[in-house]
Each structure stands twice: as structure tokens, then as C-alpha cells.
Amino acid sequence: MARLFARGLTARIRPLGLTTGTFPALLELWEKDGLTQKELVARLDIEQATMANTLARMERDGLVTRQKDATDGRVQRVWLTKRAQGLRSSALGAAMAENHDALSALTEDEQAMLVELMRKVIDARKQGAT
């Protein structure tokens, strides 16, 4: 199911110059710009090396810049470029459209139940992983 969602999202965001690999980081940065790499790793629950590679690609693609923190020079903050900020509405619209289309075979109650059950499984897996 995750692959089907990812495939559909990929098709919708590719014309924007985005990938599903960068999308989660963009979601976090659209919510709170200027996070550190460490904060992104924690929020996305991914490996440090994966985040470093993702940020390098995002920087190469003109989506983010990394700048030293004003109070701690050892820390770099990740900032969205104007290009990435301008993609927010289109990218979120694409994701919402994909979710709508993917779940259209279900009633509203079934959709709510599916989301509730997925959250329950995720929470249980997170508790079991600690």
C-alpha cells in the first residue's frame, strides 16, 4: 500500500521537480523552517547518513541552504530557498489529491477507520522499538 501511495505521489510531484525522498523533509521545513539536521533526523525517524544525503540533494536542487546557527557555530540550520517555499501550495495540493484519489473507494467512515488503525499500528511499533 505504501508503494502504491508513493508511486502516485511521485507522479504528481515529479513535474514540480520534487521526489518522494525529499518530500518528508520539505513537509517538516514548511512547518518550521530553520531546523537542524539533527532535528530533522529525529522528526523523520531516519538515519543520520540518509538525512545528510537527502539534504545534499536538496541543496544541489536549489531547495535548501545550510547556514551556521547564529548562537552556536558548530550547528548548521537548514533553510528553505524561495523556490522551495514557492512549491509548498502545489506540492501539498498534489499530496492531498493523491490521498483523495487513493482513498476514494472507501466511505468517509472507512477512511477515518483506516487512518486510525494505521496510527495504532505505528504507535505500537514505535513503543516496541524503544
Side-chain angles (χ1 to χ4, degrees):
M1 190 169 177
R3 280 194 300 268
L4 292 172
F5 273 97
R7 203 174 302 144
L9 180 61
T10 296
R12 291 177 191 264
I13 63 175
R14 185 180 299 129
L16 302 173
L18 301 176
T19 67
T20 53
T22 60
F23 199 70
L26 285 170
L27 289 172
E28 293 299 331
L29 291 166
W30 284 326
E31 186 178 312
K32 184 175 183 202
D33 204 6
L35 295 170
T36 65
Q37 183 171 321
K38 184 177 181 179
E39 290 169 330
L40 284 167
V41 165
R43 285 174 176 236
L44 297 173
D45 193 24
I46 61 173
E47 297 294 324
Q48 177 71 27
T50 302
M51 188 77 257
N53 289 334
T54 299
L55 290 175
R57 282 192 310 277
M58 293 174 76
E59 198 167 29
R60 177 201 69 203
D61 294 343
L63 297 170
V64 299
T65 59
R66 292 186 259 192
Q67 301 170 3
K68 287 191 186 217
D69 183 82
T71 59
D72 186 348
R74 298 169 297 176
V75 174
Q76 283 195 333
R77 296 209 168 266
V78 180
W79 298 95
L80 293 167
T81 62
K82 287 185 183 201
R83 175 177 179 261
Q85 291 168 352
L87 291 171
R88 183 176 194 249
S89 179
S90 298
L92 292 177
M96 295 301 288
E98 179 56 30
N99 286 346
H100 178 270
D101 289 354
L103 298 177
S104 64
L106 303 176
T107 67
E108 280 189 37
D109 287 343
E110 290 170 334
Q111 290 177 25
M113 183 182 296
L114 175 63
V115 171
E116 180 184 334
L117 292 172
M118 287 190 300
R119 283 190 179 130
K120 188 173 182 178
V121 169
I122 290 166
D123 289 344
R125 296 298 294 166
K126 282 184 176 180
Q127 290 175 2
T130 56

